[in-house]
Amino acid sequence: MRRYGDRDPIAARATGQGALAIVRTSGGGSLDLLARVFSRPQALLDAPGNTVIYGWIVEPGAFRRNAAGPNETRRAGTPDEPRRVDEVLVSVYRAPKSYTGEDGADISCHGGEAVVKAVLETLRKAGFSDALAGEFSFRAFMNGRLDLTRSESVMELVSAKTGEAAERALRRLSGVLEREFHQIREKLLESLSAVEIFLDYPEDEIDGEAAGPLPYREAAEEALRRLETLAASYRRERLYREGAIVVIAGRPNAGKSSLFNALLREDRSIVAENPGTTRDWIEASLSFEGIPVRLIDTAGLREDASDPVEEIGVGRSREMLENADLVIYVIDGTAGVTGEDRAFFSTPKKFIPVWNKADIAPSGSRPAEIFLPEKSAALSAKTGEGIETLCRIVAESLLDSQACPDAGDSFSAGEPPERPESVHGLSGWGMGLGSDRQKDLVDRAVFSLREAFFLADKKEPLELIAPFLREALNSVGEITGEISTADILETMFSRFCVGK
Ligand SMILES: Nc1nc2c(ncn2[C@@H]2O[C@H](COP(=O)(O)OP(=O)(O)OP(=O)(O)O)[C@@H](O)[C@H]2O)c(=O)[nH]1
Ligand SMILES: [Mg+2]
C-alpha cells in the first residue's frame, strides 16, 4: 500500500472526458522510466526542461537494439514491431521547475477510455505507481512549491462551479491568503518574541515599550482583528464554493415550473394548465450572480391532493423544503394570496414571495405586508418580465444569510464586521478563507488570542499568557504549513540585542 510521502515515480490521468487526455507523471527517475516505454528514448532523456517531445508510447522493451532499422520495412505483428499504445506529445519538466518540484512529464494522449487505460497500464509495467488523490499537490507542498492555502485553492479550482467561485480560488492560488497569514504571523511573532525574551532574560534591559504587561500587545491585537475578519468572511466564501439549495414552491398551478424553465432558459419542467402537473421534484444547476445554486422545482403544495401519486409528490416537496437554504414561493397572481399561502408564510423558512402572472394579474392587489420592497418580486414567468430582479434578490438574500458571523464565533456581541479594505487596504470581501481546515485553525487562533488578552487584562504573569500566544502562532503556522520554532528564535534574536 503506497502512502503520501513516498517518493516513487507516480502517474495518473489528470483530465476528464474529451478528445485528448493528459496523463501526468512525476518523481525522481520518472523520465528514465518513461524512456523505457517511449519510441524516442534518447530524445526524451536529452530533452531540456519545459520542452515538448513527439513520439509514441510503446510496450516496454519494444525497442531493442536489434529491432528493424529505419531503412528496413517492418510488418505489423512481427516480433520486432513494437506494440504501439498511442501517439503522444510529452511535456518534459525537470526539477525544481515543475508543479511538484520533481522531474516529470505530462503525456498528452488521445482521450478515449481504452487509450488512457492502455497508456496507464504501460506506465505501470514501466515501473510507475498510481498516484494517490492529491499526491502531485502534496509533493508540490513538500517541495516548497505551494503553501497549504495555495494547495487547497488548486483543489477549489478543480471543482469550481461558477466563474466567481473560480476567481476567488484563483486569488488564493496567487497567494493573497498566504501573504495575509504571513503578515498575521509576523504580528504574532513580534509580540511573542518580546514575551519570550522577557521571560528568558527578565533582568536584561529591554526598551520601555516591551516591558509592559503584554509586550507588543498592539501587534497581537492587530493579528486578532485580521483573523476575525477572515473568520467572518468564511460563510460567504463557502457559499461561492459549495453553493446553495433553492427550492421553488407554491400552490398547484401557481407557475412554479414556468418560473423554473424561465430561470433556466430551457423547457425542462412540464408546464400545463391543470393543477398537479409536477409530480416529482426536478433539479438543475445554475448560477445566481456567481453563486452556484441547485434549483429545485416541486409539486404544488395542497392539503387535498387529487390522487395518491400527487400526495407522494406533495410529501416530497415538503422534504425538499426542509433542506432548502432559500425558498422562492410562487403565488398565482390571478388567484391572489390564499389561506394555504399564509400557512406557509408562518413557517420559519427563509423565502422570497413571488407574485406571478403579472402580465394578466395587476400587482397592485398584492398584500403589502408580504410583498416588501426589495424582498419580493412581481414577475411573469411567461413573458420573462421581472425575472432579472428576482435573480438579484435571490443572490442578495443568499449572501445576506451568510454575512452575519456565527453567533459568538468571530465577534463580540454588537461589533459589526469590519471590511478588510477599511482596515488594511486589502482586497475586501474578495479575500477569504478557502477551506473548513483553514476556518478551524483561524477559530483556534482567535480563541487562543482572546484567552491571552483576557489573562493580560487580569494582569496575570507572562508565563501564563505566553502559551496562548504560542498556540495562536502555531495555528496560523499550520494554516500555511510552515510551523517552526526556529522562526520564533530567529525573529527574537534579530529584534533584540541579548548578546552583550
Ligand atoms: N399568463 C401567464 N400564465 C402563466 C404564467 N406562469 C404560468 N402560467 C400558466 O399557468 C399554468 C400553470 O403553470 P405551471 O408552470 O405548470 O404551474 P405549476 O406551479 O408548476 O403547477 P403544478 O406543477 O401543477 O403545481 C400554465 O397554463 C402556464 O402557462 C405567467 O406568468 N403568465
Ligand atoms: Mg409544475
Side-chain angles (χ1 to χ4, degrees):
M1 188 68 179
R2 293 195 53 256
R3 299 170 48 181
Y4 288 94
D6 292 350
R7 301 208 161 248
D8 318 346
I10 49 172
R13 178 187 191 142
T15 46
Q17 291 294 318
L20 296 175
I22 290 177
V23 170
R24 170 161 282 186
T25 65
S26 184
S30 58
L31 293 173
D32 293 315
L33 286 192
L34 184 56
R36 293 187 198 168
V37 290
F38 193 60
S39 61
R40 300 171 57 220
Q42 207 53 50
L44 180 68
L45 292 171
D46 293 343
N50 298 341
T51 53
V52 178
I53 308 289
Y54 163 84
W56 288 76
I57 297 293
V58 294
E59 283 288 333
F63 279 94
R64 292 191 294 272
R65 295 242 174 264
N66 61 355
N71 298 326
E72 297 167 56
T73 50
R74 291 188 297 201
R75 275 192 305 116
T78 62
D80 286 335
E81 173 73 3
R83 198 180 79 77
R84 297 179 168 200
V85 179
D86 193 19
E87 187 180 30
V88 298
L89 288 173
V90 175
S91 307
V92 178
Y93 304 105
R94 295 200 178 267
K97 290 188 174 173
S98 69
Y99 178 69
T100 56
E102 301 172 330
D103 280 353
D106 283 354
I107 303 164
S108 174
C109 59
H110 292 95
E113 276 305 316
V115 177
V116 177
K117 226 171 121 182
V119 168
L120 282 168
E121 188 49 41
T122 309
L123 292 175
R124 267 179 224 121
K125 284 185 197 158
F128 283 93
S129 303
D130 292 346
L132 302 169
E135 196 173 2
F136 294 105
S137 296
F138 176 81
R139 291 185 178 194
F141 167 68
M142 292 305 287
N143 293 324
R145 305 293 292 173
L146 293 172
D147 83 314
L148 289 186
T149 65
R150 289 170 61 184
S151 309
E152 282 172 323
S153 67
V154 171
M155 299 301 166
E156 274 190 78
L157 271 177
V158 171
S159 57
K161 295 187 194 83
T162 66
E164 178 68 33
E167 215 170 279
R168 283 164 183 265
L170 274 173
R171 267 179 241 157
R172 283 186 271 276
L173 181 63
S174 74
V176 176
L177 198 53
E178 184 185 5
R179 278 194 295 281
E180 174 69 356
F181 282 119
H182 277 301
Q183 288 172 15
I184 290 173
R185 209 166 129 72
E186 288 293 310
K187 292 287 161 200
L188 288 174
L189 273 170
E190 263 179 48
S191 184
L192 181 59
S193 51
V195 170
E196 301 270 14
I197 205 97
F198 199 81
L199 289 174
D200 285 352
Y201 304 92
E203 76 288 358
D204 269 15
E205 269 179 54
I206 292 173
D207 64 28
E209 201 185 345
L214 179 57
Y216 288 89
R217 177 173 173 139
E218 319 72 58
E221 276 175 348
E222 184 182 334
L224 175 60
R225 268 198 309 279
R226 290 167 83 157
L227 286 165
E228 285 176 334
T229 305
L230 286 168
S233 69
Y234 183 55
R235 292 168 67 184
R236 198 171 269 250
E237 288 299 318
R238 197 168 48 185
L239 177 66
Y240 280 105
R241 195 174 67 241
E242 288 168 17
I245 299 176
V246 175
V247 170
I248 304 180
R251 295 176 51 247
N253 227 31
K256 300 178 293 300
S257 301
S258 305
L259 179 58
F260 180 81
N261 292 344
L263 287 167
L264 242 61
R265 297 166 203 268
E266 190 181 321
D267 275 339
R268 179 82 67 85
S269 194
I270 298 171
V271 169
E273 57 200 24
N274 36 332
T277 302
T278 306
R279 295 303 183 97
D280 206 349
W281 54 275
I282 299 175
E283 79 166 84
S285 298
L286 74 165
S287 152
F288 282 84
E289 308 208 338
I291 302 168
V293 162
R294 267 177 72 196
L295 185 69
I296 298 173
D297 179 25
T298 59
L301 297 168
R302 66 170 158 188
E303 295 301 332
D304 52 339
S306 60
D307 62 64
V309 178
E310 192 189 352
E311 208 174 304
I312 294 170
V314 173
R316 291 195 176 174
S317 298
R318 297 202 193 278
E319 275 168 34
M320 297 320 290
L321 282 171
E322 286 283 305
N323 297 326
D325 295 302
L326 178 69
V327 177
I328 297 177
Y329 192 89
V330 186
I331 287 157
D332 182 342
T334 59
V337 175
T338 68
E340 270 166 322
D341 296 329
R342 287 188 190 276
F344 176 83
F345 297 154
S346 61
T347 62
K349 207 77 210 177
K350 186 165 182 180
F351 69 93
I352 298 171
V354 165
W355 184 265
N356 188 32
K357 311 194 186 180
D359 53 316
I360 48 171
S363 52
S365 51
R366 296 174 297 166
E369 76 281 7
I370 295 165
F371 287 86
L372 305 171
E374 297 300 311
K375 305 264 184 227
S376 64
L379 56 84
S380 166
K382 199 169 194 167
T383 66
E385 172 204 338
I387 299 270
E388 255 177 53
T389 311
L390 174 66
C391 290
R392 184 177 48 77
I393 294 173
V394 167
E396 279 168 9
S397 181
L398 288 172
L399 285 169
D400 234 29
S401 42
Q402 308 301 321
C404 55
D406 304 323
D409 186 31
S410 307
F411 291 93
S412 31
E415 217 177 304
E418 272 177 296
R419 290 176 77 92
E421 74 246 304
S422 63
V423 195
H424 315 294
L426 295 167
S427 52
W429 288 119
M431 185 190 58
L433 299 175
S435 71
D436 288 344
R437 184 192 70 89
Q438 293 169 17
K439 172 68 162 56
D440 288 347
L441 286 163
V442 166
D443 283 348
R444 266 163 51 187
V446 165
F447 175 83
S448 305
L449 284 176
R450 284 184 180 163
E451 205 59 30
F453 291 133
F454 175 74
L455 294 174
D457 289 343
K458 283 185 26 184
K459 309 263 185 292
E460 294 288 352
L462 288 181
E463 284 95 330
L464 289 184
I465 299 172
F468 288 102
L469 289 179
R470 254 179 245 124
E471 264 175 40
L473 189 67
N474 281 347
S475 300
V476 173
E478 260 184 72
I479 295 172
T480 51
E482 59 170 333
I483 322 172
S484 154
T485 48
D487 286 6
I488 300 179
L489 294 174
E490 202 184 275
T491 311
M492 192 161 93
F493 287 110
S494 65
R495 293 201 52 220
F496 294 87
C497 177
V498 289
K500 57 178 181 159

